[in-house]
Amino acid sequence: MNAALRVAETAAEHTTELPFSPVVFGLVGFGVLIALLLVTFAFRSVGTRHR
């Protein structure tokens, strides 16, 4: 138990800050999902056009 606490303390000392705010990561992820939605929407009728 004591060794685990020492490892946790040393790991906590070596943390790094995020390059952006967590809100920015959320907005970027949301933007990527919207872009994928638009690509899916653009190709929604490709299967029915090639019959």
Side-chain angles (χ1 to χ4, degrees):
M1 179 85 172
N2 194 13
L5 290 175
R6 287 184 194 165
V7 170
E9 286 176 357
T10 57
E13 292 174 0
H14 297 292
T15 59
T16 57
E17 293 292 324
L18 293 173
F20 304 109
S21 170
V23 175
V24 174
F25 284 107
L27 291 175
V28 168
F30 184 72
V32 168
L33 289 175
I34 293 297
L36 290 172
L37 176 69
L38 292 174
V39 168
T40 303
F41 185 74
F43 292 102
R44 71 185 188 277
S45 62
V46 170
T48 57
R49 286 189 295 200
H50 293 292
R51 285 189 181 205

